[in-house]
Amino acid sequence: QVQLVESGGGLVQSGGSLRLSCLASGRTFSSYAMGWFRQAPGKEREFVGAISSSGSRTYYADSVKGRFTMSRDNAKNTVYLQMNCLKPEDAAVYYCTAALTYNGAYVPANRVQYEYWGQGTQVTVSS
């Protein structure tokens, strides 16, 4: 069982930056690929990015590529999402998620591939 707690959301002006953090419980964090999804009001939850269990690979949605960066610190059981050049359309609740894997290069992009989800953190971008 893995519990995920997101933090770092808030209100930012268009063009600004935020860094989200996700702290995972448990002793096997390095066995999980980690992902971020987001959901805006009235929209489907969508993939933002994923990082492999080793941290060697990342994969991003086209809408955030070049602006968002994922990283992880396995010693701290934490994954990060650095968000730069934020746009009003980035406003959403951001969810951290985890997928158990024995493949160090696995970067799942589909929500059904993830077993554990956090409660989410709100990101608001003012224009």
Side-chain angles (χ1 to χ4, degrees), residues 2-5 7 19 21-30 34 53 71-80 96:
V2 174
Q3 291 185 323
L4 305 172
V5 179
S7 62
R19 188 176 81 155
S21 300
C22 174
L23 177 63
S25 65
R27 296 176 292 176
T28 59
F29 179 68
S30 60
M34 302 297 294
S53 58
S71 61
R72 65 189 294 161
D73 185 338
N74 285 350
K76 295 183 178 180
N77 280 18
T78 301
V79 63
Y80 304 98
C96 176

Side-chain angles (χ1 to χ4, degrees), residues 8-124:
L11 172 64
V12 64
Q13 287 188 333
S14 182
S17 299
L18 278 177
R19 188 176 81 155
L20 305 183
S21 300
C22 174
L23 177 63
S25 65
R27 296 176 292 176
T28 59
F29 179 68
S30 60
S31 296
Y32 289 84
M34 302 297 294
W36 287 96
F37 285 72
R38 66 187 183 186
Q39 188 167 18
K43 294 189 176 181
E44 294 285 322
R45 191 170 298 190
E46 64 174 2
F47 172 75
V48 174
I51 188 167
S52 62
S53 58
S54 66
S56 62
R57 286 192 66 198
T58 54
Y59 179 66
Y60 301 98
D62 287 343
S63 59
V64 306
K65 201 173 294 182
R67 300 187 298 121
F68 291 11
T69 303
M70 285 187 70
S71 61
R72 65 189 294 161
D73 185 338
N74 285 350
K76 295 183 178 180
N77 280 18
T78 301
V79 63
Y80 304 98
L81 180 66
Q82 178 67 44
M83 305 185 293
N84 298 328
C85 301
L86 282 160
K87 305 174 182 179
E89 53 263 42
D90 293 317
V93 177
Y94 282 70
Y95 296 92
C96 176
T97 186
L100 181 64
T101 179
Y102 298 102
N103 179 348
Y106 183 49
V107 280
N110 192 310
R111 59 184 294 182
V112 300
Q113 296 171 300
Y114 289 92
E115 294 100 354
Y116 302 101
W117 293 81
Q119 292 300 306
T121 185
Q122 177 72 50
V123 171
T124 303

